[in-house]
Amino acid sequence: METKNHSFASAFAGMMLRDLRVLRREIGPFVLRIIMQPLLFLFVFTYIFPRIGQGNAVGGANFATVLLPGLMAVAIMFSGIAAVALPLSQEFGITREIDDRVMCPLPVAAVAIEKICFSSVQSILAALLVVPLAYLIPATPVHAHVASWPMLVATLILASLVSGALGLTIGSNVKPQQIGLVFSIVVVPITFLGCVYYPWAVLSHVRWLQIAVLLNPIVYMSEGLRAALTPGVPHMPSLLILVALLASLGLLGTFGIKGFLRRVIS
Amino acid sequence: MIVEISGLSKVYQDKQQRVTAVDGIDLTVEKGELFGLLGPNGAGKTTTIGICTTRVLPTSGKVTIAGIDVVAHPAAARRNIGVVPQYNTLDRSLTIFENLYFHCKYFGYSGADAQQRSKDLLAQFHLEERGTNFPNQLSGGLQQRVQIARAIAHRPAVLFLDEPSAGLDPQSRIAMWDAVRSLREEGITVVLTTHYMEEADELCERVAIIDHGKVLALDAPAHLKTTLGADTVIELTLRQNDGKQPLIDRLNALPQIRGLEMTSAGLRLFAQGVDGLLPEILQAANNYGVRDIRMNEPNLETVFIRLTGRDLRE
């Protein structure tokens, strides 16, 4: 048993090292891909808008402060899609290069779990890359400080794992030709309706939407980061957020791993 | 015994149809053997290999690799399995060297050991200068060689090659054959599938002829030829294809003719020894307008035709 676990662990570590090598080689494009969206977003809404008299405040805080956690959540989410869903869909549909890892001496589900884990590393990096942008670009100062380290760490890790699991679910269930479509009809809507640009509490003005978005895992990512970083902005209770993230992880993880197994074992 | 397959079957069932890909196969492969599964496309070869390599779950039956049940303990069984699938599965994001290096890492090699093993493999497969290339920069033949090198990097007990020469030019195919033979010298057991009878004939010590998911014959190629296909196959194409019965009777009366089948274009004769036979056939068939006469010396293809009444490529 000892040697069996050891062999699983070293195969898993080997795959993490492989992904790290590939990431290191692609670090330039990786960083560019991460920062473009939040950069432009912050530039237009928090730099240009105040200057052209379109300044706005949401829930009593300035927009840049509201945006920081939201944009971090989006970065986490997109990272999961880019790190898992896109490559996996390619590997299954066209190149079949995942085969060598599937033939490793460890359970096939572990190959899928490795994908989620490495994707979460990228997601955390992506979220951290957003922070300096939020301080540099906006015309109005961002009021953020770490209100609770445990909450920040827990949210970052759980949110990153959820995004990896979402990527796995998409990547192992969607054909490469349809990935663009899924982007338009799933990824973009859940981002726009993920309480990224406004806190969940202010949705009370649109009650049906406030309830509907509770199904969207991005909501809990944004709200969790709000609770940890910008406590001045209204946010959901921390415990509820963590439970919801855990539930999303369980659900998407199960779907993702099942889809993955179906693709590699017939 | 390295590979033991018993009572293996695989049925693919969906709403529309039920396909029996493997239909009760029993096989054993000895240690160090070079074993071939020969059959046309769709015969069940790839499914059989898929089950052996833990990628397809059998409907019934059992496969053990070096004593390990592949269904009960797939992760442990994979330690003993090297596999080169039909399609190119090299990791496109890694160089050739890294493809080998990380494969070793997956199998628990330390960094230094993985490095050394990868270097040795590059040398063994004459790929030293390609180490820093990416897979897409290599020709199909070289990529195939890298796939074989990678498949044996963790020193598996048995290497499965699925249609290894599909898509290779003749020169690369011969280079691939050499590489496979050299593995045999290392003591690696090789199981390959092919629908090229010359490949099975050239390479394999024992061949199982498979069709419709069943093993039709299993023996050394030379033995298969003498016991089953000692016949030379003569394909006779006739202008007039009706009313052949008098011709059939007359040919059947010839002592060298061992069997005879009607084909859409004429007749197929199985003959033992052809000395002086052709003139007799031509004379007999003269009234039917002989358009073509072709002879196939005994080979695995004629064995296959004898067993199934079909061509390997039909």
Side-chain angles (χ1 to χ4, degrees), chain A residues 7-8 10-11 14-15 17-18 21-22 25 95-97 99-108 264-266, chain B residues 10 53-57 75 78-79 83 87-94 98 102-103 105-108 134 150:
Chain A
S7 125
F8 290 178
S10 56
M15 287 190 278
L17 283 174
R18 178 262 171 204
R21 173 73 58 98
V22 175
R25 190 168 279 146
T95 64
R96 313 292 298 260
E97 56 197 305
D99 261 49
D100 189 44
R101 276 159 278 159
V102 171
M103 288 308 294
C104 284
L106 81 174
V108 176
V264 297
I265 310 272
S266 53
Chain B
K10 174 68 181 180
T53 56
T54 75
R55 297 300 296 277
V56 178
L57 296 173
R78 287 197 280 267
R79 290 212 151 272
V83 53
Y87 35 84
N88 171 5
T89 64
L90 292 176
D91 197 329
R92 319 290 202 276
S93 316
L94 299 177
E98 288 167 341
F102 282 106
H103 182 92
K105 293 293 287 178
Y106 303 155
F107 281 86
F134 284 88
R150 186 182 64 175

Side-chain angles (χ1 to χ4, degrees), chain A residues 43-56 139:
Chain A
F43 183 68
V44 171
F45 289 98
T46 67
Y47 183 83
I48 298 181
F49 269 34
R51 278 176 172 64
I52 58 176
Q54 302 276 334
N56 42 17

Side-chain angles (χ1 to χ4, degrees), chain B residues 11 20 48 77 104 127 142 171 203 209 218 246 271 278 280:
Chain B
V11 178
T20 306
T48 305
C104 293
L127 292 160
L142 283 180
Q171 210 178 347
L203 218 46
I209 296 179
L218 195 167
L278 284 187
E280 294 205 48

Side-chain angles (χ1 to χ4, degrees), chain B residues 152-185:
Chain B
I152 62 151
H154 59 287
R155 303 185 193 278
V158 52
L159 172 66
F160 290 94
L161 294 162
D162 196 5
E163 296 284 350
S165 56
L168 292 190
D169 57 81
Q171 210 178 347
S172 304
R173 188 190 299 180
I174 288 166
M176 190 272 298
W177 286 353
D178 286 340
V180 171
R181 276 197 207 93
S182 73
L183 296 179
R184 196 203 164 307
E185 281 152 26

Side-chain angles (χ1 to χ4, degrees), chain A residues 245-263:
Chain A
L245 283 174
L246 269 174
S248 313
L249 179 59
L251 208 63
L252 289 169
T254 309
F255 274 138
I257 291 170
K258 276 204 175 134
F260 188 90
L261 288 176
R262 208 178 42 242
R263 293 301 289 268

